Amino acid sequence: MAMRDVHCEVEEVGATPRGRDHGLVWLLGRAALRSHQSLQERFVRHGIRKWHYAVLAAVDEAGPVTQADISRRLSLDGSDLVGVLNDLVSAGYVTRNPDPANRRRNLVALTEEGAAALREFDVCVVETEDELLATLAPDERKQLVSLLARVLDAARPAGVE
Amino acid sequence: MAMRDVHCEVEEVGATPRGRDHGLVWLLGRAALRSHQSLQERFVRHGIRKWHYAVLAAVDEAGPVTQADISRRLSLDGSDLVGVLNDLVSAGYVTRNPDPANRRRNLVALTEEGAAALREFDVCVVETEDELLATLAPDERKQLVSLLARVLDAARPAGVE
DNA sequence: TACCAATATTGGTATTACCAACATAGGGGG
DNA sequence: CCCCCTATGTTGGTAATACCAATATTGGTA
């Protein structure tokens, strides 16, 4: 890795954050990593990963949708969605059929088994969140979620949903 | 991927979270991803990635330290640290010399250039955090950081630092 | 001395996010 | 109607990350 020479003058920065350990980006990254691992640990017992759950939930909430819709809604690359759907179809959790109105599109719909499985998987999410937020009071949980949602809205590129 | 059959009875779960979009794990993951990308975008102009910054900061704060110390302090795998240090040594940002007191260990120390570069890189972090937290009031920023730190402390396996 | 633990290093793997290319199909303007 | 442009789904590849296994060297210790 070729590191570029540092040539800028920096004598008046003064904004050096004392306690770099507590930077927001750092904390976000570690918290996300741990929560993700904790959730995946539960999902793996059901043979799924987080995107399987996210796609199931999206199809459940939006009714029969096209893959492009799911992709946009979840900010999941279309090519990655294909693999996830292959798994979900194999498991019998969703159906994927061409849209008769527009034969480019596939309509993805939740099956009975998919709906039942989704309720199972929801438990994993609830358990993980309870574990993570065990030390927080209920109003603090709401505060954290609210603050994170606002950060995400601000960081969103341009009016995506 | 072989998905296990869902056989458990779920009739009394009732904890299905309405608004799955707003689950903590989901929000954490997306926020971390976006903030990480925003930071990396700035770091890449200096030819570094986040671990280079983290290691530089750790060496700066802890004085000359062994690689094992850095590894534990940052929860960074020792093998990954080797590569990061190779880059930092090549760039002249740190020195890595055997500890005369214990020849298994390497002592990593910040150079003048490393210290100057670190101050440069700090600007990237400050800019990224300002961008992410632009919509939050100062006390909300502190609240978010505080809540995240508490979540992380709770999720920490066992007395690490 | 002989065994065990710590350290640094090499190499490999799995996951994730993303990108490029492509074939197919729709829609719209000439 | 034909041509162009876009949207869609699909395949394949890449970079970064996190982690794990094996090893050589060294320290400490029973």
Side-chain angles (χ1 to χ4, degrees):
Chain A
M1 159 170 300
M3 300 196 188
R4 207 172 300 175
D5 274 344
V6 176
H7 49 72
C8 312
E9 306 297 334
V10 291
E11 51 263 10
E12 47 187 342
V13 167
T16 305
R18 56 250 167 280
R20 290 193 193 83
D21 307 345
H22 303 90
L24 176 86
V25 183
W26 184 259
L27 287 174
L28 266 181
R30 301 313 290 188
L33 177 63
R34 295 311 164 200
S35 70
H36 174 257
Q37 289 171 335
S38 178
L39 182 58
Q40 292 292 76
E41 201 171 283
R42 289 181 166 84
F43 276 164
V44 78
R45 300 175 205 154
H46 296 281
I48 67 168
R49 279 165 303 174
K50 66 171 176 178
W51 284 120
H52 297 100
Y53 173 79
V55 170
L56 278 180
V59 175
D60 179 49
E61 290 170 7
V65 280
T66 67
Q67 296 180 201
D69 279 336
I70 301 172
S71 179
R72 279 185 290 262
R73 175 181 278 254
L74 297 178
S75 299
L76 173 65
D77 193 271
S79 58
D80 297 322
L81 178 58
V82 173
V84 174
L85 284 179
N86 288 342
D87 296 337
L88 294 178
V89 170
S90 298
Y93 292 162
V94 299
T95 58
R96 172 174 50 179
N97 297 306
D99 184 350
N102 186 339
R103 302 214 314 281
R104 284 177 300 182
R105 296 176 173 158
N106 282 338
L107 281 180
V108 180
L110 206 62
T111 64
E112 290 288 333
E113 296 92 345
L118 180 56
R119 284 191 292 274
E120 272 289 313
F121 304 156
D122 278 332
V123 179
C124 298
V125 178
V126 173
E127 284 178 357
T128 300
E129 296 187 349
D130 284 345
E131 173 190 313
L132 283 170
L133 300 176
T135 63
L136 265 56
D139 57 319
E140 289 176 321
R141 291 176 60 144
K142 287 178 193 162
Q143 249 177 1
L144 177 56
V145 169
S146 161
L147 288 172
L148 282 176
R150 285 172 59 193
V151 168
L152 254 190
D153 279 346
R156 210 170 290 264
V160 179
E161 184 200 11
Chain B
M1 159 170 300
M3 300 197 188
R4 207 172 299 174
D5 274 345
V6 176
H7 50 70
C8 314
E9 305 297 334
V10 290
E11 51 264 10
E12 48 187 343
V13 167
T16 304
R18 57 251 168 279
R20 290 192 192 84
D21 307 345
H22 303 89
L24 176 86
V25 183
W26 184 260
L27 287 174
L28 266 181
R30 302 312 292 187
L33 177 62
R34 295 310 164 201
S35 71
H36 174 257
Q37 288 172 334
S38 178
L39 182 58
Q40 292 292 77
E41 201 171 282
R42 289 181 165 85
F43 276 164
V44 78
R45 300 174 204 155
H46 296 280
I48 67 168
R49 279 163 305 173
K50 66 171 177 178
W51 283 121
H52 297 101
Y53 173 79
V55 169
L56 278 181
V59 175
D60 178 50
E61 289 171 7
V65 280
T66 66
Q67 296 180 202
D69 280 335
I70 301 173
S71 179
R72 280 184 290 263
R73 173 181 280 254
L74 297 178
S75 298
L76 173 66
D77 194 89
S79 58
D80 298 322
L81 178 58
V82 173
V84 173
L85 284 179
N86 289 343
D87 296 337
L88 294 178
V89 170
S90 299
Y93 292 161
V94 299
T95 58
R96 171 175 50 179
N97 297 307
D99 184 351
N102 186 340
R103 302 215 313 281
R104 285 176 300 183
R105 297 177 173 158
N106 283 338
L107 281 180
V108 181
L110 205 63
T111 65
E112 290 287 334
E113 296 92 346
L118 180 55
R119 284 190 291 273
E120 272 289 313
F121 304 157
D122 278 331
V123 178
C124 298
V125 178
V126 172
E127 285 177 357
T128 300
E129 297 187 349
D130 284 344
E131 172 189 313
L132 282 170
L133 301 176
T135 63
L136 266 56
D139 58 318
E140 288 176 321
R141 290 176 59 142
K142 287 178 193 163
Q143 250 178 358
L144 177 55
V145 170
S146 161
L147 289 172
L148 282 176
R150 285 172 58 192
V151 169
L152 254 189
D153 279 345
R156 211 170 289 265
V160 178
E161 183 198 10

Coordinates of all heavy atoms in Angstrom, one line a residue, chain B residues 50 66 71 73 100 104 121 123 132:
Chain B
K50 N -9.0 2.0 7.8 CA -9.3 2.3 9.2 C -8.3 1.7 10.2 O -8.1 2.2 11.2 CB -10.7 1.8 9.5 CG -11.0 0.4 9.5 CD -12.4 0.0 10.0 CE -12.6 -1.5 9.9 NZ -13.9 -1.9 10.4
T66 N 3.8 -3.5 22.5 CA 4.0 -4.7 21.7 C 2.9 -5.0 20.8 O 1.8 -4.4 21.0 CB 4.2 -5.9 22.7 OG1 3.0 -6.2 23.3 CG2 5.3 -5.7 23.7
S71 N -3.0 -5.7 19.6 CA -4.0 -6.6 19.2 C -5.1 -6.7 20.3 O -6.3 -6.7 19.9 CB -3.3 -8.0 19.0 OG -4.3 -9.0 18.6
R73 N -5.8 -4.5 22.7 CA -6.5 -3.3 22.9 C -7.5 -3.0 21.8 O -8.6 -2.4 22.1 CB -5.4 -2.2 22.9 CG -5.9 -0.7 22.9 CD -4.7 0.2 22.9 NE -4.1 0.3 24.3 CZ -4.2 1.4 25.0 NH1 -5.0 2.4 24.6 NH2 -3.7 1.5 26.2
P100 N 14.4 -5.6 23.7 CA 15.6 -6.3 24.2 C 15.4 -7.0 25.5 O 16.1 -8.0 25.8 CB 16.6 -5.1 24.5 CG 15.7 -3.9 24.4 CD 14.5 -4.2 23.6
R104 N 10.9 -12.2 22.2 CA 9.7 -12.6 21.5 C 8.9 -11.4 20.9 O 8.3 -11.4 19.9 CB 8.7 -13.5 22.3 CG 9.2 -14.8 22.6 CD 8.2 -15.5 23.6 NE 8.1 -14.8 24.8 CZ 7.4 -15.2 25.9 NH1 6.7 -16.3 25.8 NH2 7.4 -14.5 27.0
F121 N -4.9 12.5 9.9 CA -6.0 11.5 9.8 C -7.1 11.8 10.8 O -8.3 11.5 10.5 CB -5.4 10.1 10.0 CG -4.3 9.7 9.1 CD1 -3.4 8.8 9.5 CD2 -4.1 10.4 7.9 CE1 -2.3 8.4 8.7 CE2 -3.1 10.1 7.0 CZ -2.1 9.1 7.4
V123 N -8.3 14.6 11.3 CA -9.3 15.5 10.6 C -10.3 14.7 9.8 O -11.5 15.0 9.8 CB -8.5 16.4 9.6 CG1 -9.5 17.3 8.9 CG2 -7.5 17.2 10.4
L132 N -22.0 12.9 9.8 CA -23.0 11.9 10.2 C -23.9 12.5 11.2 O -25.1 12.3 11.2 CB -22.3 10.7 10.8 CG -21.7 9.7 9.9 CD1 -20.8 8.7 10.6 CD2 -22.8 9.0 9.1

